[in-house]
Amino acid sequence: MIELERLTEVLRPWLGDTLLRRMPRVLTEAQRRLSVFTPGKDDLTQLSHGLEGLIYAAVRRETDATFLVTLPDQTRVRMEPDDFAVIADEMMWLLFERFPIDARHLMLLRDYSVRVSSLSAIRALYERYAEYETLDELKALRRVARGSFPAYRWQSWLGRPEYT
C-alpha cells in the first residue's frame, strides 16, 4: 500500500500545501490507483496517463482553470501542460520503489523505460536493480538520466552535476 503521506511528499513541491488540502479525494484516488496496480494485469503507461489526467483535472478545477499554484515557499506559479506528465512520473516512483527485486519486475521496468520517457523507471533500474545491470548498463542509465532530464529531477539520487 502506498502511504498517503509519501504521496503528499511527492506532490507538495508541485502543488503546495494549500492546494493539496483542497484535494483530499484526489489524493485518496491517486493512492488507490497506485496501490492496486498489478503487474501482468495492469499497464504502467495507462496508470501514468490516468494519474496525469487525475491531477490535471483537479488542478484545473481547484484553480478555476487558471493553473496558478502557490508553492511551499509562497511563490505563485502557473503550471504548464508538461508539468503534469512529470508529476505523474514522480508519482510512479512510489510504485517502483515497492516493486520486488526480481526478473519479472526488472523486465517490466526495462520495457516501460524504453517505451516511455520515465526518469522514475530509470531511477528504479539504476538504484534498485543495479545487481541485475552490467557496469555499462548502469553507465548508460546514468547518461540517459543526465542527458534527458533536468538536474533538479535526478541530482538527489545521482549527485550534483559538477561532482559526478
Side-chain angles (χ1 to χ4, degrees), residues 22-144:
R22 294 193 337 237
M23 327 180 358
R25 287 189 209 140
V26 172
L27 295 175
T28 302
E29 177 59 19
Q31 175 194 31
R32 185 195 68 76
R33 290 181 188 189
L34 287 162
S35 295
V36 302
F37 178 84
T38 305
K41 176 182 168 222
D42 300 319
D43 182 77
L44 288 171
T45 303
Q46 288 178 355
L47 175 61
S48 180
H49 288 160
L51 292 169
E52 180 181 348
L54 179 70
I55 298 301
Y56 176 87
V59 171
R60 184 175 193 277
R61 181 179 57 255
E62 294 298 330
T63 64
D64 296 322
T66 66
F67 294 94
L68 287 172
V69 175
T70 303
L71 301 179
D73 68 359
Q74 300 309 305
T75 304
R76 285 187 51 88
V77 298
R78 182 178 314 278
M79 295 190 72
E80 300 293 329
D82 293 345
D83 291 340
F84 296 95
V86 174
I87 292 168
D89 187 50
E90 294 289 323
M91 293 167 68
M92 294 295 285
W93 168 251
L94 298 173
L95 177 64
F96 299 155
E97 74 179 345
R98 294 186 173 277
F99 272 5
I101 307 297
D102 59 26
R104 177 181 181 204
H105 288 85
L106 170 70
M107 297 311 294
L108 184 66
L109 282 168
R110 281 184 177 168
D111 177 62
Y112 182 70
S113 71
V114 169
R115 289 186 296 108
V116 178
S117 181
S118 171
L119 184 60
S120 291
I122 291 169
R123 178 182 180 184
L125 290 167
Y126 185 82
E127 284 189 333
R128 302 200 65 239
Y129 293 82
E131 67 187 50
Y132 286 93
E133 308 285 356
T134 67
L135 186 56
D136 286 340
E137 288 169 330
L138 290 171
K139 286 179 184 178
L141 290 169
R142 187 179 191 91
R143 197 169 40 252
V144 169

